[in-house]
Amino acid sequence: MQLDQNPFFRKTITSWYDSNFTCWFLIFVVSFVFAFALGGLIVAAGEPEFGEHLWFPGLLAFLSGFLALKVFIRLKIRSKND
């Protein structure tokens, strides 16, 4: 007799790198990167000779904020499904 392959009654198993703890830890770490990038934006905007390098902390702030937002949305969607 074969086992039923339909996991209707089973809870899905998430990987360790996609667990709730890991996602919250990632949001916590990325928030420090975001704050560091905002500090870089403030410093680069205040000094005229750093004006040409303003794109780097801006890109870093955008990417870290985007990553934190995406992981937070993933957590919210997962909590709705549970």
Side-chain angles (χ1 to χ4, degrees):
M1 181 172 155
Q2 292 184 353
L3 296 174
D4 187 17
Q5 298 298 325
N6 186 3
F8 179 71
F9 58 91
R10 290 184 231 150
K11 189 176 179 181
T12 57
I13 299 172
T14 57
S15 305
W16 67 268
Y17 52 84
D18 199 25
S19 65
N20 287 343
F21 174 76
T22 307
C23 288
W24 283 115
F25 181 73
L26 180 66
I27 290 172
F28 178 73
V29 170
V30 168
S31 66
F32 282 114
V33 174
F34 184 75
F36 179 74
L38 287 181
L41 277 172
I42 292 169
V43 169
E47 296 290 328
E49 60 267 9
F50 293 153
E52 63 188 36
H53 303 292
L54 193 62
W55 65 271
F56 187 75
L59 180 66
L60 186 63
F62 172 74
L63 290 176
S64 60
F66 182 73
L67 179 63
L69 182 67
K70 289 291 285 185
V71 172
F72 184 74
I73 290 171
R74 175 184 291 173
L75 282 171
K76 286 300 174 188
I77 289 173
R78 187 184 306 145
S79 68
K80 272 188 190 176
N81 291 338
D82 288 340

